[in-house]
């Protein structure tokens, strides 16, 4: 009787050894997707703040600068936490668009936020794709 008890137990342990790494991989992938999605939401919110700040620049001229600084900080944080080359490229594109907006602001011009919004949309596609 003991050999029949040990064999099923050994098979169960062997199955767990095989299954646990697979579940860790899938959890890791799911966590990365959640993290990327959360970053996309945060960047979308930052973009909305930038847009609102520029729409209300007469009431609070400094708000645009604060909103851009927050967006830049979130981009830096996302870039440091990313291990995906597609996400890193998307973040680089976003940073270029933020720099263009900042340049327009520095020249006292009204920035075109459309390309920045497109870059956030592309980042979201990379996260979900």
């Amino acid at each position: 009787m003991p050999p029949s008890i040990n064999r099923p137990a050994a098979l169960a342990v062997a199955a767990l050894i095989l299954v646990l790494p697979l579940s860790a991989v899938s959890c890791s992938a799911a966590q990365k997707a959640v993290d990327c999605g959360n970053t996309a939401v945060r960047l979308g919110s930052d973009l909305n703040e930038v847009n609102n700040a520029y729409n209300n620049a007469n009431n609070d001229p400094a708000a645009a600068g604060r909103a851009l600084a927050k967006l830049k900080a979130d981009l830096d944080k996302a870039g440091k936490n990313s291990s995906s080359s597609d996400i890193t490229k998307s973040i680089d594109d976003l940073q270029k668009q933020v720099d263009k907006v900042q340049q327009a602001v520095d020249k006292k011009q009204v920035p075109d936020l459309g390309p920045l919004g497109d870059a956030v949309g592309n980042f979201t596609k990379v996260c979900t794709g």
Side-chain angles (χ1 to χ4, degrees), residues 88-105:
T88 301
K89 182 185 178 313
S90 181
I91 289 171
D92 288 344
D93 292 343
L94 265 163
Q95 288 173 328
K96 287 176 189 174
Q97 293 305 320
V98 169
D99 289 343
K100 287 180 182 180
V101 170
Q102 186 65 57
Q103 289 168 0
V105 170

Side-chain angles (χ1 to χ4, degrees), residues 17 37 41 67 74 102 121 124 126 128:
I17 290 171
V41 168
D74 283 343
Q102 186 65 57
T124 302
V126 168
T128 59

